[in-house]
Amino acid sequence: MHKTVPVIAVDGPSGVGKGTLCQALANHFNWHLLDSGAIYRVLALSALQNNIALDNEEQLARLALNLPLMFDSTTAEVKVLLNGIDVSKDIRTEETGGAASKVASLTQVRTALLQRQRDFRQAPGLVADGRDMGTVVFTDAPVKIFLDASAESRAERRMKQLQLKQNRAKFAEILQDITARDERDRNRPVAPLKPAIDALVIDTTSLSIQDVFNQAIMYTTEKLAK
């Protein structure tokens, strides 16, 4: 691991705007981007395709170690490839998201994927988006940010996203899914979702994307100057 390469670690639950912020920060600094959630989603999708039970820790860990995963960042939107096939849309379904949250709670799976995530740390710098980037994966990151928002506002955002894609969505069901996922992520025995002690916490409930970006840029510039 290249410890001299700076990392901006952005953590938080689903639907708080982590992906949008991380993409903006990576573009601003012209740094690499790691979407760690996509790795867990690809693993979950691969498990579903291979009929591996989502609680079969040993088989999932073996799959994680040999996951034929690649990110293609040559296009405007980063493509996620599994076995050379673009699965960017497949991993964004509610089913895959729920399955990813289940496999991510398993100790052996997290251990198997730890080094894989750390290998993304390459010059000139890395913006890492996830649940435990600042608390486990990149504990020495000079910049740690934790985004949060109310479950209701996150369910509302998710519903609008689904409606844009012509998917029928029920607010109550989405809210229930988000609450269940939060519960699982925050209370898992390994790498629970929580802000790092030295993280800047931003509540995005009533903030625009621009507001969040401005706060993050100010904080990051100040931290990297030290």
Side-chain angles (χ1 to χ4, degrees):
M1 182 168 66
H2 319 290
K3 291 216 170 184
T4 50
V5 175
V7 174
I8 301 171
V10 181
D11 291 313
S14 60
V16 289
K18 293 194 306 290
T20 309
L21 174 63
C22 288
Q23 187 86 52
L25 288 170
N27 290 344
H28 179 84
F29 290 106
N30 205 15
W31 284 8
H32 298 284
L33 177 66
L34 163 62
D35 176 355
S36 69
I39 298 179
Y40 284 100
R41 282 169 177 265
V42 170
L43 177 62
L45 180 67
S46 189
L48 293 169
Q49 288 175 348
N50 290 289
N51 294 317
I52 295 172
L54 298 176
D55 58 357
N56 188 328
E57 196 160 351
E58 280 185 22
Q59 270 196 294
L60 287 165
R62 212 165 26 245
L63 185 64
L65 285 171
N66 302 295
L67 199 61
L69 161 72
M70 273 179 67
F71 290 104
D72 176 7
S73 53
T74 55
T75 51
E77 280 195 23
V78 179
K79 281 184 187 172
V80 184
L81 308 175
L82 174 61
N83 278 315
I85 297 162
D86 184 357
V87 293
S88 312
K89 287 197 175 79
D90 304 321
I91 63 168
R92 296 296 165 198
T93 65
E94 292 299 290
E95 184 195 7
T96 312
S101 175
K102 285 173 186 165
V103 301
S105 66
L106 304 172
T107 309
Q108 287 181 42
V109 169
R110 298 198 77 85
T111 305
L113 290 177
L114 191 57
Q115 190 54 48
R116 188 147 204 175
Q117 294 172 81
R118 286 179 174 157
D119 289 341
F120 279 86
R121 188 176 198 168
Q122 292 172 17
L126 176 69
V127 180
D129 164 352
R131 300 282 199 280
D132 63 345
M133 296 297 101
T135 53
V136 176
V137 185
F138 302 108
T139 50
D140 64 334
V143 182
K144 295 174 187 173
I145 298 169
F146 188 92
L147 301 187
D148 213 343
S150 71
E152 289 74 18
S153 72
R154 286 151 53 209
E156 214 166 279
R157 288 172 195 171
R158 183 66 185 140
M159 194 164 83
K160 282 176 185 164
Q161 280 176 343
L162 291 170
Q163 284 168 345
L164 282 173
K165 294 173 187 167
Q166 310 298 310
N167 290 2
R168 289 168 63 191
K170 289 184 179 166
F171 180 78
E173 283 175 14
I174 294 170
L175 182 60
Q176 195 177 354
D177 279 351
I178 282 175
T179 310
R181 205 178 297 178
D182 282 358
E183 186 74 17
R184 210 161 36 231
D185 292 346
R186 291 180 197 274
N187 296 309
R188 63 186 175 217
V190 58
L193 171 67
K194 62 179 181 184
I197 299 164
D198 51 347
L200 166 72
V201 178
I202 304 175
D203 187 324
T204 70
T205 304
S206 53
L207 296 179
S208 70
I209 292 163
Q210 193 60 49
D211 290 337
V212 177
F213 179 71
N214 291 347
Q215 277 193 48
I217 280 290
M218 261 176 62
Y219 182 72
T220 301
T221 309
E222 185 187 305
K223 280 285 191 182
L224 293 177
K226 286 181 179 175

